[in-house]
Structure formats: C-alpha cells, structure tokens
Amino acid sequence: MSLSGLDHSLRLNGITGNVLNFNFLCRFNAIVSICIETRALGFPYWLREVEGIIFRSDNAPFKMHVVAVSHENIFEDDSEDDEEGESICVSRRTHSSSAGFYLIENEYDNVKLAYRQSGIDYVQWAGKMAVSLGTGVPWIMCKEKDAPDPVINTCNGRNCGDTFSGPNTPNKPALWTENWTAQYRVFGDPPSQRSAEDLAFSVARFFSKNGTHINYYMYHGGTNFGRTASSFVTTCYYDEAPLDEYGLVKGPKWGHLRDLHSALRLCRKALLWGSPSVISLGDELETNLQRWMQDYSLNYDSFDVGYNDLPTRSDIRPVLQVASLGHALHAFINDRYIGTGHGTNVDKTFSFAKPAPLQRGRNKISILGMTVGLPDNGAYLEHRVAGLNLVTIQGLNSGAQYLTQSRWGYQVGLNGEKLKIYDPKKTDSVHWSDAGNHINQPVTWYKKYFDAPSGRDPVALNLTCMGKGQAWINGENIGRYWASYLSPLGKPTQSLYHIPRSFLKPTGNLLVIFEETGGDPYKITVETVAREIICSFVSEGHPPHVRSWERKEAQIRAIATEDLKPMVNLKCDNHKIIQSIDFVSFGNPLGICGNFTLGDCDAPSARSVVEKVKH
C-alpha cells in the first residue's frame, strides 16, 4: 500500500527564536540524562536537582526518596501514579495477587565497584529496607551476589547454568530472572541471533543444576512507542524473541521452546525432586544423576564577520567545528542546513565539521541537538550530560573564532509538538502547504491520510526511504525511526515500524511525520506483516517427538507402542494452508531455518516425497 500523493508538508524554514519550529523554554546548557527506560520505571527528572544527591549509593537524600517512593508504589493505588513517573529502582506493584516476587535494584554488581564502600553499604541498606516494608512477597536482587538475607540473589544472562555461582545462602532458590533469547537492538547495530537449540539447551542445563525458575528476556519482542526507548535503542526492541513485536510466532524458536517445556514437565520429578548429585567424568565434563524529556533542543547564536575576515582563496572555506557530548545534531548557518552528526551506542560523544557558508556582516548559527533516548544503566547517572561542548569557526583570515563562551540562546522542544499538530483535532491549527516536490528536506513535517489495510494481519509502516525522525498515527507516537543510520552490513537497523490495529480506523487515518535530515515521503508504504515461512530439521539421531510420551502413574510412558521415530510436523497458523515447498533436503543441509542450503550429500527424490504429503 503506497502513500504516493502526499497531501501536505510543513517546511520549517528560519531556525530562529520567533518562528514556528520550536518551543523555546530554557537557557543554554548541556542536556542532562538520567536512568530511564520507560517513564513509569525511571528516575523522575527533578530527583537529580536535589542538593547533594548521588543515585544508587549510600546517600541520605537518595535513600529518603527511595523509601518514600517505595511506599507509594507498593501500598497506594496505581491510578494515583504521577504522570511523570516516580518509581526509583523498585518494582511496580502488580495487579495480580499471585505475583511471585518484588525487585529491589537490578544488576547492581555491574556498577557497585564505582561506588566503593558506599555501594557495598547501599546494597545492604536497600535489601533491609525492602524487607521492612512487610509486603509478604519475596524480594529479589538481579545480578547482585551480595544480596542480604532474605533477599534472593538471581542470575541474568545467556548461560546461567554455567555462569551462576548459585544462591548466596542455602535457604534460597536458584532463580534465572533474565534468559536472553537474543539481544535488544540499537541503531547502527547489525542483527543479533541466538539459535533455538542453544536457548533450549541453556534452560535444560539450568534445571539440571538445581534451578527452580526461569524467566525469558524477551519472550514477546515488544515495541518502544513514543519516547520510551532508552539511549540509541530501536523502536523495535527485540526482533528475535519467540513472539515478535507483532505477537506473531517466530519459528523455530517458539515451537522448540514449547516442546522443551513439555519435556521438562514430563521430567519434573527427576529434575526438581530430591537432592542432586554429580559424578565427575574428567576435566570439563559432568552429568546430572528495570523527567519525561523532549528529544530536541535548539542552541542559537549570532556573530559578526568582518569585511576582510573571509578567505580570498577558492580552496579555503570557513568550517564549523562542534564537539558534542551526544547524541546527535543538525547544524544550520543563516537558516541553511549544512549537515548532521551523531554518536553511537558505544560512544555517545562525537565531533562535527562541515563547511560554513558565511557572509560578511551578521551571521546566525543554529544547532539543533537531539537525544535518542535516555540511559537505563550505569553509575553516577545524575552526573551524565549530553549536548554541546565546544563550538568553533575555523578558516577565517582573522583566525579561529571560539563561540563556546558566547551568549547562546537555548530552547527546548519543537513548536509542532507543543501545538500537537500530529493530533487529528489540532493538525489544522497551522498552515500546511502542498508537498509537491519537497523531498529530501531537513526539519520538515509531513502529513497524509490513508485507509487501514483489510484483514487482521499486523500493520507496519515502511520508513526505509526516510532519514531520521518520529511518526504519529492518529495522534499516537509510534516511535523514533532512523533509517539513514546504517549498520556495518549497509542496511538500516530497523525498517518496519509497528502500527497496532487499535490505533487505526477503517478509513481516514492521519499519518504525521517529522523528518529531521531529509527523505522521500512519497515512498513510504503501509504494509501487513505475516510469518508465512515454516521450517524444521530432523535426523535419525533425534529422539521421538515429545508428544509421543505421557506421564502416567508417576511413570513416563510412550503413548503409542509402535513407530517411535523422529518426525517433523509442520502446520500453518490461522487456518492457512501450505502453498509451496521452497527447500527440501535429505542429506546434510547447511544453515538454519529460513536460510538453508544444500550440503555435499543430498537425495534428489526428497522433494517429491514431501510434495505428496504437503496437504
């Protein structure tokens, strides 16, 4: 479904203090980032302004607010939550009376050494404070080996059956609170994978080593709508989970885990009852008998260029140089866009240098700074900053002009957001001009109406043709996009952006795009998503399917007495049928599901055998 025939665009020319672009609020300074992944679970912005506060440490102001917010989160009704979010390192109270655990702190082992003795003392205090609340529910600390009794230390990671040293006292169960099914995505990263076999083996191994609980992270991929993503994290949070962000089954991981869970239930007596014993088989062998801020801020200044300051040689041009603490910026000279720079998830800081089209007399410089989410981990979060650090004009006859200490103006946010021009009720509060051939324009708003695709399949917006920005559907922010930031493989980290069906009407849906760097909105498409490829792999060495067995009278027995052989059973979801066979091999195929190739041994007749039984 193409969105050709774009209705309107709003070109925000003139990056100055009195035009439509931005909502100007504050003074020039760095943008302060705090620990937040979603607004309900991060530190509220005002907390860093408390005098003398040091987050996540044995610090009196911080501990005072932790105690206050802990009582509020656990004992007060959720409907009273502050709009800005006030949960501080403490789990939210669940709506279910059968909730198993409360969480106090998360992966503190990763940062504890940075705080030295204050970190050690803080862990002890946090655990005792949590227990003193008297919730009647066990408390856990993920990835914190020194959790004080009775708080349970738990494991996060890929292979806790091998890496977890176990509970720190004998009276605690072995819990695996995050089994990473792959890895969350960040802009600029290539895809991440974890095989179904490796994931399933890690689960079985953990239970074989006295494990009692596993939680998958993530089991459902999820979508970071609006600005809920942390720094540089993609809108599509986790694309290799057993259920993807659309809720569709991701094979073979989902089916493999389903069968593993069935096998674990059958073997629960051997795995979970009694005391385990281990017999050594030699070296390395054994067997088992976590302030809601704007993304944008504008820094602007003006300066004079004398009659003789500009270079007279054609091979010399003035250059704007900026050192930034992150995360990204767009630069303008005299309202003319000159370029973009950005950091990475690993190193948010970066340098920017582009030729500056200066003129004699007064010149305006405008730098639109951006954050791409707020950090969600690490030490001393209250001291983290982002934004401009140094600004210099090089190449003038009079020498370098250092602008860092100039009297910069500083304004926060887009005026379009303040006016909510993405809201169907307010979009006509500004004048829109016909988009025409206004493509590849930076700092531009676009809008378009479209009808929802028919059917029930999940819906996504394909933004491969755009640069960087945000998108709204009927007033709902579906997240940040950054298609122009390519991974080392030369492709965007994310191209499709989830539109929940609940956001859509049958007809007349309003799409509003704020494009920062330039793109071609005419090539945006609305697409439906389906998992229409199913596959599997089986060999003579595989055991019979787990469904061939049952547990009866405390014994595991075969359901059928004959033909206990390994087999593959492929079935389409939602009453669909198999239309074609793309790959069949009886031999030694290479690759994984969805990307198989023939090995050096193959039986050509295998395809005809499968074709006969495909229906």
Side-chain angles (χ1 to χ4, degrees), residues 341-514:
H342 64 83
T344 68
N345 181 57
V346 175
D347 185 5
K348 275 74 175 176
T349 63
F350 64 95
S351 297
F352 171 89
K354 290 288 184 180
L358 300 179
Q359 60 192 16
R360 292 181 175 89
R362 201 69 174 166
N363 288 266
K364 295 184 295 184
I365 177 173
S366 306
I367 300 176
L368 178 62
M370 292 160 291
T371 56
V372 189
L374 302 177
D376 62 347
N377 59 76
Y380 298 106
L381 290 168
E382 71 282 356
H383 293 143
R384 294 196 190 181
V385 295
L388 302 184
N389 190 21
L390 299 171
V391 181
T392 307
I393 299 290
Q394 299 279 5
L396 298 176
N397 290 339
S398 55
Q401 186 157 348
Y402 300 97
L403 302 177
T404 306
Q405 301 302 322
S406 297
R407 301 186 64 178
W408 288 78
Y410 179 72
Q411 299 103 24
V412 174
L414 301 172
N415 202 47
E417 288 187 292
K418 178 184 177 182
L419 297 174
K420 298 184 178 180
I421 63 175
Y422 50 79
D423 187 328
K425 297 179 181 179
K426 299 180 179 181
T427 189
D428 292 331
S429 63
V430 296
H431 173 70
W432 296 80
S433 61
D434 185 75
N437 61 354
H438 288 150
I439 63 174
N440 297 316
Q441 300 288 336
V443 195
T444 304
W445 292 85
Y446 298 97
K447 74 170 184 175
K448 169 70 180 177
Y449 290 92
F450 68 96
D451 295 338
S454 59
R456 302 178 62 182
D457 286 337
V459 181
L461 202 63
N462 190 326
L463 295 173
T464 309
C465 57
M466 303 301 287
K468 179 181 182 298
Q470 297 186 58
W472 290 261
I473 301 292
N474 294 328
E476 299 287 350
N477 190 329
I478 64 170
R480 305 180 183 96
Y481 65 87
W482 201 348
S484 60
Y485 187 2
L486 304 182
S487 77
L489 303 180
K491 297 181 179 180
T493 304
Q494 181 178 351
S495 298
L496 297 179
Y497 290 80
H498 184 197
I499 307 175
R501 285 273 182 181
S502 60
F503 288 5
L504 296 174
K505 305 179 295 183
T507 60
N509 295 284
L510 174 64
L511 165 65
V512 174
I513 295 282
F514 175 66

Side-chain angles (χ1 to χ4, degrees), residues 48 70 84 102-103 132 137 216 246 256 315 361 365 375 384 416 458 520 549 612:
R48 65 168 300 277
S70 298
E84 296 295 330
Y102 277 134
L103 169 68
S132 71
V137 176
Y216 294 103
Y246 307 100
H256 202 63
D315 60 334
I365 177 173
R384 294 196 190 181
D520 187 350
W549 309 91
K612 293 178 182 178

Side-chain angles (χ1 to χ4, degrees), residues 93-100:
R93 176 171 61 83
T94 69
H95 292 279
S96 171
S97 60
S98 61

